[in-house]
């Protein structure tokens, strides 16, 4: 398609201006706001500079960004291309949870709770959804429809002592739901917290050959190294497995993006057709609300054309260069060696050779520091709920690239799946299960070696 025809075909679908949603009206759900990282720098992903200058591709990327930043509205609306939000939802835009495409933080700059933090529901045995509220608590809703409820977070704190006598205070979030619109949760339903990750690098991660990921799995620890990463099989017969999400529940970038539209904003897509999002049959007010699905857009709220450009934007997103490391090259290299000596590379695989983007004739090396497998991380990080057959203590190895932007100039951050870790050392000290030997290795380091490790991680 020529750039002119593409522009004409999408012109009516775009908002007049890109607007960022800032926060929400709910109070901060914590008993100690000083203990939670507040982002002190703004980050915005860019299009991968290594990509070509193809005019259509660049235009689709720009249009995809506008969809990522679009504030959706509830139906009916005078602008059919931008309505259909909800009826129940957590955010009005992708960028609200992924500010600038970067990872979310627990709090907004003004101290209110960020929409980046979500509550997930599930049973602890089979992961089944709550019969009324589904798999996710939606904290906002269209006019005339009650929001499902709200949640609060308090922190249980405990101190741990390192080998050199340093005492580190760790905090574990405890979430409670309240003001549930349709009665209490099922007695078997358990809750967990999820913090929105950054979108950068998803395209290259999607291009890692499946056989490479499968070959690295060792669920029965046949090699005896104490690491038993397993593939998150979604359909073993058809060799479909998850590689995205904290629990590796989505098989592709496209599925990950479409599921976010469904669960977070209640918008239907070619992969998830339900215009009522996660509204269950028991939520009659939600199910009777107007739908934004339109015959003009394939009886959907987010058409295949919009998903195509959105997927391109996400798939091509990378973080900008910088900030410049404060540590010296020697200190960073020292930290890299410590990272390897601790055994961290057993899960945080450093590099892959991929062919990306699709159609490329060249091999490209990426360094995401992940094996995309599920690992038992121990009781400290365990939840009570099972999600899609993934146990509460199992988590997909998160990529470490981009930590240079996730940690601010004072070393503060919102790390791990629920943002509990306020810095890199806390994140490491929460490791258990298969990662316990690596955690203990770090705890035994001298202060200088520990800082070198932190400097290395902060440079990724």
């Amino acid at each position: 398609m020529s750039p002119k025809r593409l522009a004409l075909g999408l012109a009516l679908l775009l908002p007049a201006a890109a607007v960022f949603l800032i926060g929400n009206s709910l109070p901060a759900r914590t008993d100690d706001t000083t203990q939670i990282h507040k982002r002190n720098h703004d980050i915005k992903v860019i299009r991968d500079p290594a990509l070509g200058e193809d005019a259509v591709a660049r235009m689709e990327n720009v249009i995809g960004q506008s969809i990522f930043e679009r504030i959706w509205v509830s139906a009916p609306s005078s602008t059919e291309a931008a309505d259909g939000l909800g009826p129940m939802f957590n955010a009005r835009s992708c960028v609200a949870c992924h500010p600038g495409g970067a990872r979310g933080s627990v709090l907004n700059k003004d101290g209110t709770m960020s929409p980046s933090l979500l509550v997930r529901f599930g049973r602890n045995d089979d992961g089944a959804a709550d019969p009324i509220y589904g798999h996710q608590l939606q904290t906002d809703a269209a006019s005339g429809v009650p929001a499902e409820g709200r949640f609060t977070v308090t922190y249980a704190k405990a101190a741990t002592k390192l080998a050199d006598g340093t005492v580190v205070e760790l905090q574990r979030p405890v979430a409670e739901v309240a003001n549930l619109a349709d009665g209490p949760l099922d007695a078997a339903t358990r809750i967990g917290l999820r913090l929105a990750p950054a979108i950068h690098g998803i395209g290259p991660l999607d291009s890692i050959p499946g056989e490479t990921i499968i070959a690295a799995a060792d669920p029965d620890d046949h090699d005896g190294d104490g690491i038993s990463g397993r593939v998150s099989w979604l359909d073993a017969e058809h060799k479909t497995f998850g590689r995205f999400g904290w629990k590796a529940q989505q098989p592709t970038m496209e599925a990950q993006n479409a599921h976010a539209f469904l669960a977070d904003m209640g918008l239907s897509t070619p992969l998830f057709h339900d215009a009522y999002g996660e509204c269950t049959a028991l939520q009659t007010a939600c199910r009777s609300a107007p739908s934004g699905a339109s015959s003009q857009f394939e009886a959907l709220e987010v058409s295949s054309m919009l998903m195509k450009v959105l997927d391109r934007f996400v798939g091509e997103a990378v973080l900008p260069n910088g900030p410049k490391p404060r540590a010296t090259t020697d200190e960073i290299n020292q930290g890299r060696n410590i990272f390897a000596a601790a055994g961290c590379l057993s899960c945080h695989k450093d590099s892959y050779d991929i062919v990306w983007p699709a159609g490329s004739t060249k091999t490209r090396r990426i360094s995401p520091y992940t094996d995309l497998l599920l690992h038992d991380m121990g009781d400290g990080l365990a939840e009570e709920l099972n999600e899609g057959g993934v146990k509460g203590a199992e988590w997909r190895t998160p990529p470490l690239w981009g930590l240079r932007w996730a940690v601010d100039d004072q070393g503060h951050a919102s790390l791990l799946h629920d943002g509990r870790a306020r810095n890199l050392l806390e994140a490491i000290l929460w490791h258990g299960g298969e990662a316990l030997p690596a955690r203990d290795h770090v705890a035994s380091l001298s202060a200088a070696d520990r800082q070198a490790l932190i400097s290395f991680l902060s440079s990724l």
Side-chain angles (χ1 to χ4, degrees):
M1 181 182 293
S2 70
K4 183 176 180 181
R5 290 186 61 191
L6 178 65
L8 290 174
L10 292 171
L12 294 178
L13 306 183
L14 301 179
V19 182
F20 286 76
L21 180 65
I22 303 176
N24 56 48
S25 59
L26 294 179
R29 305 183 184 103
T30 175
D31 61 344
D32 190 354
T33 58
T34 64
Q35 296 298 311
I36 301 179
H37 168 57
K38 299 178 183 179
R39 189 185 305 279
N40 68 353
H41 50 232
D42 294 320
I43 313 158
K44 194 167 186 177
V45 296
I46 60 174
R47 183 172 185 260
D48 190 337
L51 297 175
E53 294 299 317
D54 176 80
V56 172
R58 291 188 65 82
M59 181 178 293
E60 288 185 349
N61 182 281
V62 171
I63 295 171
Q65 180 179 348
S66 75
I67 302 304
F68 187 81
E69 296 174 351
R70 168 181 287 176
I71 294 182
W72 296 82
V73 297
S74 302
S77 166
S78 58
T79 307
E80 289 189 5
D83 74 358
L85 177 69
M88 297 190 296
F89 54 91
N90 294 100
R92 298 175 182 272
S93 66
C94 304
V95 78
C97 293
H98 311 271
R103 70 173 63 209
S105 58
V106 175
L107 295 181
N108 295 310
K109 289 181 179 180
D110 63 1
T112 58
M113 179 64 69
S114 165
S116 299
L117 191 65
L118 304 171
V119 166
R120 296 287 293 172
F121 294 137
R123 295 172 63 100
N124 63 356
D125 49 3
D126 59 4
D130 185 83
I132 297 176
Y133 299 100
H135 280 296
Q136 188 162 304
L137 179 72
Q138 275 82 34
T139 54
D140 210 340
S143 177
V145 178
E148 287 186 318
R150 63 185 298 272
F151 67 99
T152 58
V153 177
T154 55
Y155 288 87
K157 300 180 181 181
T160 185
K161 182 179 288 188
L162 307 184
D164 66 357
T166 300
V167 176
V168 181
E169 184 185 69
L170 301 179
Q171 59 176 23
R172 178 173 189 158
V174 179
E176 294 185 6
V177 296
N179 304 117
L180 294 172
D182 296 295
L185 295 172
D186 185 84
T189 297
R190 301 293 182 264
I191 65 178
L193 291 169
R194 298 287 184 274
L195 188 66
I199 68 168
H200 71 272
I202 291 182
L205 288 175
D206 204 21
S207 298
I208 297 173
E211 56 267 25
T212 300
I213 298 170
I214 295 170
D218 186 16
D220 299 314
D221 193 21
H222 288 304
D223 63 8
D225 67 352
I227 305 299
S228 53
R230 72 177 183 90
V231 174
S232 177
W233 289 111
L234 306 178
D235 185 342
E237 180 181 354
H238 295 93
K239 298 295 182 182
T240 301
F241 66 90
R243 65 174 77 192
F244 294 113
W246 290 105
K247 294 286 189 176
Q249 290 295 289
Q250 298 304 325
T252 64
M253 175 190 70
E254 290 83 2
Q256 175 74 6
N257 293 339
H259 185 264
F261 273 122
L262 173 83
D264 302 343
M265 292 183 280
L267 292 163
S268 55
T269 65
L271 286 181
F272 299 100
H273 295 169
D274 196 338
Y276 293 97
E278 281 211 330
C279 294
T280 66
L282 297 177
Q283 294 174 310
T284 55
C286 178
R287 282 286 167 181
S288 61
S291 163
S294 168
S295 58
Q296 181 182 357
F297 302 110
E298 307 163 17
L300 299 169
E301 293 160 325
V302 187
S303 69
S304 58
M305 182 181 290
L306 294 190
M307 286 304 304
K308 176 189 175 185
V309 294
L310 183 280
D311 290 337
R312 176 179 284 278
F313 169 71
V314 173
E316 296 179 347
V318 296
L319 290 171
N321 290 329
K324 186 177 180 179
R326 291 187 172 187
T328 65
T329 300
D330 287 345
E331 183 178 359
I332 291 172
N333 287 336
Q334 178 188 357
R336 180 181 287 107
N337 293 334
I338 293 170
F339 185 80
C344 303
L345 290 172
S346 296
C347 300
H348 292 284
K349 178 177 169 60
D350 56 348
S351 62
Y352 298 84
D353 292 324
I354 63 168
V355 177
W356 185 84
S360 175
T361 58
K362 294 183 179 180
T363 299
R364 179 175 181 177
R365 173 154 289 193
I366 60 172
S367 299
Y369 288 88
T370 177
D371 59 8
L372 297 177
L373 296 174
L374 295 169
H375 293 273
D376 184 336
M377 295 300 293
D379 292 341
L381 288 175
E383 296 179 330
E384 292 186 343
L385 67 88
N386 175 313
E387 187 170 344
V390 180
K391 297 177 182 178
E394 291 183 306
W395 299 94
R396 184 206 65 162
T397 306
L400 300 183
W401 58 3
L403 281 178
R404 67 187 188 277
W405 281 115
V407 181
D408 70 16
D409 293 340
Q410 286 75 48
H412 300 155
S414 294
L415 301 174
L416 300 178
H417 65 278
D418 50 18
R420 70 175 67 184
R422 295 161 290 185
N423 54 58
L424 286 165
L425 180 58
E426 286 186 24
I428 294 169
L429 295 177
W430 274 110
H431 285 50
E434 297 171 43
L436 184 59
R439 181 264 182 211
D440 288 347
H441 183 98
V442 174
S444 71
L445 294 173
S446 67
D449 284 348
R450 203 162 56 237
Q451 182 55 53
L453 174 62
I454 298 302
S455 295
F456 162 65
L457 293 172
S458 300
S459 74
L460 295 178

